[in-house]
Amino acid sequence: MKIKRSKSDLTFDIINTFLLTVILIIVIYPLIYIVSASISDPAKVTSGEVWLWPIGINFKGYTAVAQYNPVLMGYANSFYYAIVGTAINVFMTLIAAYPLSRKEFYGRNVLIFLITFTMMFSGGLIPTYLLVKSLGMVNTRWSLIIPGAIGVWNLIITRIFLQTSIPGELYDSAEIDGAGDLRTFLQIVIPLARPVIAVITLYYAVDHWNSYFDALIYLNKQNLFPLQIPLRNILILNSMDMSMLADVEEMVKRQQLVELLKYSLIVVASLPVMLLYPFVQKHFVKGLLIGSVKG
């Protein structure tokens, strides 16, 4: 039997659908425009004729991206930082969250307080730089990986997940069977923590992929720059290397290509994250709710 909906329910559905449609348009329009602009005629893009669908389809922007060495080098470096950095981040977060989630761990509340305290107060940029420099990590790949090896927020949500999702009886059973902490961690905690591992992996990977400030501070070697540095130079500073041009017409074409290259770079830089997200989407929402549970 179909339940008749009240007028207030229908009104709510109409308003809710309208608002969600408006939000969807606001979010999806820039994405469609950027993709369309990246494959349109550069002259049409700079003249403002492209506003939704591509005009004069061509792939000059992507060809230029493939031929621009700093972008290719930055792409390879960003993959390295994202893969190696995320692996270290997840490993360090798990081995720190596991003991902090065990109620029998003496002094864990003090450690949790000290760790949380760093979210509000830090040593500052200059002391951090001096520490990284004293460790010999300036102008090395490790300067973008080691200083941020553990994210406090990710550590907190991982600890809460382990504490609330894994029954204490499992630990007791493992202890009765003679399993030590290492075996318990590898055979019980890791398999049951896959949802939160997927979430923090996404968080860390996106953070590494989008990071550029640390590279500006710690690196001055172009062969170590992540993708975001050449992307920043092109998008903000418009500093793509171009030879001196005497021909005005050729200069205009080059400038149009630089504009087209901006949109192509945005698509190329965003693509890996957009491809990764669907695989962890079902865990992502659950991960957002983990932090709302008091641990």
Side-chain angles (χ1 to χ4, degrees):
M1 180 178 178
K2 187 176 181 180
I3 300 176
K4 186 177 180 180
R5 297 174 63 82
S6 65
K7 290 184 178 180
S8 59
D9 289 338
L10 292 174
T11 302
F12 174 80
D13 288 344
I14 293 173
I15 295 175
N16 194 36
T17 302
F18 173 76
L19 292 176
L20 290 176
T21 302
V22 172
I23 294 173
L24 175 64
I25 293 173
I26 293 174
V27 171
I28 203 171
Y29 173 73
L31 299 177
I32 296 176
Y33 174 77
I34 289 173
V35 174
S36 298
S38 70
I39 59 175
S40 296
D41 186 343
K44 303 294 184 182
V45 175
T46 54
S47 64
E49 297 181 39
V50 177
W51 62 275
L52 184 60
W53 304 117
I55 300 177
I57 294 179
N58 71 78
F59 298 93
K60 291 181 180 178
Y62 295 100
T63 302
V65 169
Q67 295 174 348
Y68 190 40
N69 288 333
V71 171
L72 297 179
M73 191 177 299
Y75 216 88
N77 288 334
S78 287
F79 268 111
Y80 177 87
Y81 296 134
I83 294 173
V84 176
T86 301
I88 293 175
N89 292 143
V90 173
F91 174 75
M92 296 293 290
T93 300
L94 288 173
I95 63 174
Y98 169 63
L100 293 176
S101 68
R102 301 294 300 270
K103 294 181 180 180
E104 60 270 22
F105 179 56
Y106 180 77
R108 74 182 187 119
N109 291 330
V110 175
L111 289 176
I112 291 171
F113 171 77
L114 294 175
I115 292 171
T116 307
F117 185 80
T118 64
M119 296 181 67
M120 298 174 284
F121 300 95
S122 65
L125 178 60
I126 295 177
T128 303
Y129 177 83
L130 293 176
L131 175 61
V132 173
K133 184 178 180 181
S134 66
L135 294 174
M137 292 191 296
V138 173
N139 279 325
T140 67
R141 298 184 188 275
W142 297 113
S143 63
L144 303 188
I145 297 175
I146 299 301
I150 294 182
V152 176
W153 173 249
N154 293 325
L155 174 60
I156 291 173
I157 65 173
T158 304
R159 180 191 70 85
I160 293 175
F161 180 89
L162 298 181
Q163 186 172 307
T164 58
S165 300
I166 302 179
E169 290 77 6
L170 281 179
Y171 295 127
D172 295 338
S173 299
E175 186 176 355
I176 292 173
D177 291 339
D181 284 325
L182 180 60
R183 185 177 177 184
T184 301
F185 177 73
L186 294 176
Q187 296 187 359
I188 295 179
V189 174
I190 295 299
L192 295 177
R194 282 180 294 182
V196 76
I197 291 175
V199 172
I200 64 174
T201 298
L202 177 64
Y203 285 163
Y204 280 128
V206 171
D207 185 60
H208 280 292
W209 188 263
N210 292 331
S211 177
Y212 73 92
F213 184 73
D214 287 347
L216 289 175
I217 300 299
Y218 301 126
L219 302 179
N220 55 35
K221 294 180 180 179
Q222 187 172 347
N223 64 322
L224 298 178
F225 285 165
L227 176 63
Q228 303 305 323
I229 299 300
L231 178 61
R232 173 182 178 274
N233 292 339
I234 294 173
L235 293 179
I236 300 177
L237 305 179
N238 201 18
S239 64
M240 178 184 176
D241 256 346
M242 293 192 299
S243 56
M244 297 300 293
L245 300 171
D247 189 347
V248 176
E249 182 178 353
E250 183 65 21
M251 185 180 296
V252 171
K253 290 182 179 179
R254 272 300 178 94
Q255 188 60 36
Q256 290 176 347
L257 180 60
V258 170
E259 292 297 320
L260 184 63
L261 184 60
K262 293 180 181 180
Y263 297 108
S264 303
L265 273 173
I266 293 174
V267 175
V268 169
S270 305
L271 192 60
V273 177
M274 295 177 68
L275 292 177
L276 174 65
Y277 180 75
F279 295 99
V280 294
Q281 181 182 9
K282 63 179 180 180
H283 301 305
F284 186 75
V285 176
K286 186 174 182 179
L288 293 177
L289 297 176
I290 293 173
S292 64
V293 181
K294 183 178 179 181

